[in-house]
Amino acid sequence: MKKQKTLYGFVAFTAVLFILHTLVKNYMIDPEAWGFLSRKTGLQRDLNVPIWLKVMYVHVAFACIAMAAGLLNFSNRLFEKSRRFHRVNGYIYFVSVLVVIVTSGYMAPYATGGKISSIGFNVLNTIWLIITIAALVHIKMKRIDRHRNWMIRSYVFCYTNMLIHLVTFLFHQGFGLAYAAGYTIGLYSSIVLLLIIAEIIIKKSRWSGANQSI
């Protein structure tokens, strides 16, 4: 139980920090996303910046909502206090993930790194959609443990953007690789790493005998 609380505390800390950073950066510091757009190379089609920005604003907003909603639903205290809240909030998470996936699908063709990155984002979106639907199906069938495990697999993808930029920074600043190449490596490695991290968390939870939410 102590390990679960420590894990939840760490996840909560990083989630809140990332949400605040994302909102401030995208809506206050650089609302025109010039810093990010300036690094885009090898685009196969013209980028309509005003439309892209509007889609990006929606994408960022719902990504933050998904991260917050998922975090709240992993709280055992909130679950015991109000299962109705847990259920409603679960649907908020599901809808938010769908919006993030749809908006990401629009932005994928303009991804930094060109076509190979576009393919990567489409693969990521497909995996995330399947996993999230699986979590919904299992709870509908009253399979609580399986629902929880698939929710863990789904929720880790809320950290995709964070991990992509961390890996990109490592390869770009640490190894001197071109930013676009580092970004592409960050994208594909993030998909693999997040899936591995989810399985580690699930395995640790089983080992500790945890049958409820974190």
Side-chain angles (χ1 to χ4, degrees), residues 152 156 163 190 192-202:
I152 291 173
V156 295
L163 192 54
S190 293
V192 177
L193 287 173
L194 289 171
L195 290 172
I196 292 174
I197 290 171
E199 295 309 313
I200 291 174
I201 294 174
I202 291 170

Side-chain angles (χ1 to χ4, degrees), residues 149-183:
N149 291 341
W150 283 101
M151 272 303 301
I152 291 173
R153 295 184 180 105
S154 174
Y155 187 68
V156 295
F157 279 94
C158 288
Y159 287 82
T160 300
N161 187 265
M162 179 191 296
L163 192 54
I164 288 176
H165 283 90
L166 285 175
V167 176
T168 302
F169 179 84
L170 174 64
F171 279 91
H172 179 56
Q173 298 293 339
F175 299 107
L177 203 65
Y179 184 87
Y183 189 86

Side-chain angles (χ1 to χ4, degrees), residues 15 29 40 49 65 69 85 103 108 121 136 138 149 166 178 183 205:
I29 296 177
K40 290 190 176 294
V49 176
I65 292 173
F85 172 82
T103 51
F121 274 110
L136 181 63
H138 282 301
N149 291 341
L166 285 175
Y183 189 86
S205 297

Side-chain angles (χ1 to χ4, degrees), residues 70-211:
L71 177 66
L72 291 175
N73 264 17
F74 277 113
S75 170
N76 199 36
R77 182 179 299 179
L78 287 176
F79 176 75
E80 293 175 350
K81 195 171 184 179
S82 177
R83 297 198 176 190
R84 185 175 183 276
F85 172 82
H86 182 89
R87 182 171 61 255
V88 173
N89 192 51
Y91 282 114
I92 292 175
Y93 173 81
F94 182 76
V95 172
S96 297
V97 169
L98 289 182
V99 175
V100 173
I101 290 173
V102 170
T103 51
S104 177
Y106 169 83
M107 295 188 292
Y110 310 103
T112 302
K115 188 174 182 179
I116 188 170
S117 290
S118 299
I119 294 172
F121 274 110
N122 287 326
V123 170
L124 185 154
N125 290 334
T126 301
I127 294 174
W128 197 10
L129 178 61
I130 292 173
I131 288 174
T132 307
I133 290 176
L136 181 63
V137 170
H138 282 301
I139 195 58
K140 288 295 184 181
M141 300 178 72
K142 308 300 181 182
R143 297 170 178 170
I144 307 300
D145 288 347
R146 292 185 181 183
H147 165 69
R148 177 182 179 277
N149 291 341
W150 283 101
M151 272 303 301
I152 291 173
R153 295 184 180 105
S154 174
Y155 187 68
V156 295
F157 279 94
C158 288
Y159 287 82
T160 300
N161 187 265
M162 179 191 296
L163 192 54
I164 288 176
H165 283 90
L166 285 175
V167 176
T168 302
F169 179 84
L170 174 64
F171 279 91
H172 179 56
Q173 298 293 339
F175 299 107
L177 203 65
Y179 184 87
Y183 189 86
T184 301
I185 293 174
L187 169 59
Y188 282 94
S189 61
S190 293
I191 296 173
V192 177
L193 287 173
L194 289 171
L195 290 172
I196 292 174
I197 290 171
E199 295 309 313
I200 291 174
I201 294 174
I202 291 170
K203 185 177 181 179
K204 291 292 184 180
S205 297
R206 288 172 180 168
W207 182 80
S208 63
N211 293 315

